[in-house]
C-alpha cells in the first residue's frame, strides 16, 4: 500500500496549477464558510480513496486511468496556456485557429468529459435523478460509486462529447474562474439537462469548461446555431470582459462548495449569495 495514492483529486492538480500565481497557490473560495483559502493545488479538491470501489482494499485502478488521461491532455492544455500568455485576445484566437490540431481538440474533449463526470456534484445530481427509478438501493450504491461511475459514464458519454463542435473563447482581460465542478452542461430550459443524456443529443444543450484563466471552451451540438449560424468546428474567438463575467456567474451557480481563482475575488461571495438553490 506504500505506493498507492490515498488523496485522490476529483479536479486534477495539473489543471488547477493554471490558476496558481507566482506563489504557487490558488485562491480557493469556500462558499459554505464564506472565506478564501490560499493553498497549493495538490492540497485542493481531493478526497481520501475517492475512486476506490472498495476503500478497505484500494488498488488505484481508476486513479491510474485518470492520471493517464490527465497526462494526455496536459500537452494540449500547455499549448493553450502558452498561446494566451503574450498576445491580445484577437492574436491568441488567430494563433489557436492556426495551431490547434484535431488531436488537441480530441484530447481536450476527453478531459472535459472526465471533468463532467468525476466530481461529487455530478454524482449527487445523478443520485437525485435515480430517485424515481426501479433500481434497488444496492444497484444505486454500486452505480454511484465514484470510480465505477466515472469509468462507465466516460464510456457512455464520450461519443457524445466527440460529436460536438468546440468553440474556444479568449478573455480580453477578466479571468475565467473554475470550481469543484469544472465542466457542466446548461440549456435555456428551466430544468437542468439530465446528466449524460442530453449532452451532444439535444441541440439546445451546451457544455462549458474553463481551461485556463484566459481560455474556456464551449462544446455545442453540430446543429447549434446560437441564434445566428452553425458554430464552426474547433474555432477560437475573443470574449469581452462582460461576457466573461456572465460565464463566471454560471460557474459560481453550478459550484457545489469551492470556486477557484488566481486571487481573492470578493465578487464570488457576492454572486454566491444570489444562487438559486435547486430542490
Amino acid at each position: 500500500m506504500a505506493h498507492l495514492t490515498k488523496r485522490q483529486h476529483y479536479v486534477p492538480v495539473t489543471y488547477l496549477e493554471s490558476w496558481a500565481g507566482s506563489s504557487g497557490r490558488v485562491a480557493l473560495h469556500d462558499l459554505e464558510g464564506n472565506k478564501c483559502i490560499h493553498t497549493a493545488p495538490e492540497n485542493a479538491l481531493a478526497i481520501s480513496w475517492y475512486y476506490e470501489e472498495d476503500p478497505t482494499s484500494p488498488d488505484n485502478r481508476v486513479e491510474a486511468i485518470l492520471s493517464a488521461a490527465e497526462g494526455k491532455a496536459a500537452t494540449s492544455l500547455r499549448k493553450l496556456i502558452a498561446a494566451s500568455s503574450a498576445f491580445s485576445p484577437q492574436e491568441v484566437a488567430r494563433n489557436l485557429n492556426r495551431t490547434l490540431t484535431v488531436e488537441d481538440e480530441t484530447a481536450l474533449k476527453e478531459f472535459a468529459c472526465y471533468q463532467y463526470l468525476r466530481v461529487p456534484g455530478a454524482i449527487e445530481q445523478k443520485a437525485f435523478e435515480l430517485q424515481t427509478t426501479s433500481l434497488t438501493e444496492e444497484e444505486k450504491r454500486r452505480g454511484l460509486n465514484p470510480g465505477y461511475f466515472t469509468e462507465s459514464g466516460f464510456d457512455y458519454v464520450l461519443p457524445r462529447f466527440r460529436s460536438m463542435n468546440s468553440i474556444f473563447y479568449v478573455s480580453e482581460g477578466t479571468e475565467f474562474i473554475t470550481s469543484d465542478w469544472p465542466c457542466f452542461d446548461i440549456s435555456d430550459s428551466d430544468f437542468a439537462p439530465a446528466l449524460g443524456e442530453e449532452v451532444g443529443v439535444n441541440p439546445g444543450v451546451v457544455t462549458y469548461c474553463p481551461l485556463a484563466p484566459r481560455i474556456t471552451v464551449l462544446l455545442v451540438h453540430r446543429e447549434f446555431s446560437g441564434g445566428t449560424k452553425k458554430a464552426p468546428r474547433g474555432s477560437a474567438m475573443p470574449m469581452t470582459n462582460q461576457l466573461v463575467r456572465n460565464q463566471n456567474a454560471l460557474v459560481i451557480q453550478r459550484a457545489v462548495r469551492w470556486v477557484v481563482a488566481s486571487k481573492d475575488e470578493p465578487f464570488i461571495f457576492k454572486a454566491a449569495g444570489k444562487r438559486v438553490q435547486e430542490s
Side-chain angles (χ1 to χ4, degrees), residues 10 50-51 116-130 140-141 143-150 181 195 256:
Y10 52 90
Y50 180 60
Y51 298 109
Y116 175 78
L117 293 164
R118 65 190 283 188
V119 297
I123 296 171
E124 290 171 9
Q125 179 176 328
K126 183 54 67 176
F128 176 79
E129 293 173 0
L130 293 178
K140 292 178 186 178
R141 186 199 64 77
L144 294 172
N145 169 271
Y148 179 85
F149 182 83
T150 299
W181 196 345
L195 190 87
V256 175

Side-chain angles (χ1 to χ4, degrees), residues 18 20 65 96 100-101 177 201 263 276:
S18 297
I65 292 172
L96 289 177
L100 203 67
T101 66
I177 59 176
V201 176
K263 60 183 183 298
V276 175

Side-chain angles (χ1 to χ4, degrees), residues 41-177:
E42 57 265 29
N43 295 328
L45 308 183
I47 297 174
S48 294
W49 305 125
Y50 180 60
Y51 298 109
E52 303 301 327
E53 294 182 68
D54 180 4
T56 65
S57 182
D59 57 16
N60 272 191
R61 187 183 64 82
V62 175
E63 175 76 1
I65 292 172
L66 293 170
S67 295
E70 292 162 18
K72 185 178 178 181
T75 299
S76 299
L77 284 171
R78 283 195 295 268
K79 179 184 289 188
L80 289 173
I81 294 165
S84 69
S85 63
F87 303 100
S88 71
Q90 293 78 13
E91 290 171 321
V92 173
R94 285 195 294 269
N95 189 45
L96 289 177
N97 280 323
R98 289 194 305 267
T99 63
L100 203 67
T101 66
V102 173
E103 290 75 19
D104 289 325
E105 189 181 3
T106 298
L108 293 171
K109 285 179 179 179
E110 292 182 1
F111 174 82
C113 185
Y114 271 123
Q115 288 312 126
Y116 175 78
L117 293 164
R118 65 190 283 188
V119 297
I123 296 171
E124 290 171 9
Q125 179 176 328
K126 183 54 67 176
F128 176 79
E129 293 173 0
L130 293 178
Q131 284 181 345
T132 58
T133 67
S134 59
L135 294 175
T136 66
E137 290 304 312
E138 175 58 26
E139 289 171 331
K140 292 178 186 178
R141 186 199 64 77
R142 162 70 174 169
L144 294 172
N145 169 271
Y148 179 85
F149 182 83
T150 299
E151 186 177 21
S152 62
F154 180 78
D155 291 339
Y156 180 69
V157 177
L158 181 60
R160 302 162 190 246
F161 270 67
R162 284 176 173 165
S163 73
M164 301 171 81
N165 288 348
S166 308
I167 309 176
F168 297 92
Y169 288 102
V170 185
S171 169
E172 65 181 24
T174 300
E175 290 189 352
F176 294 105
I177 59 176

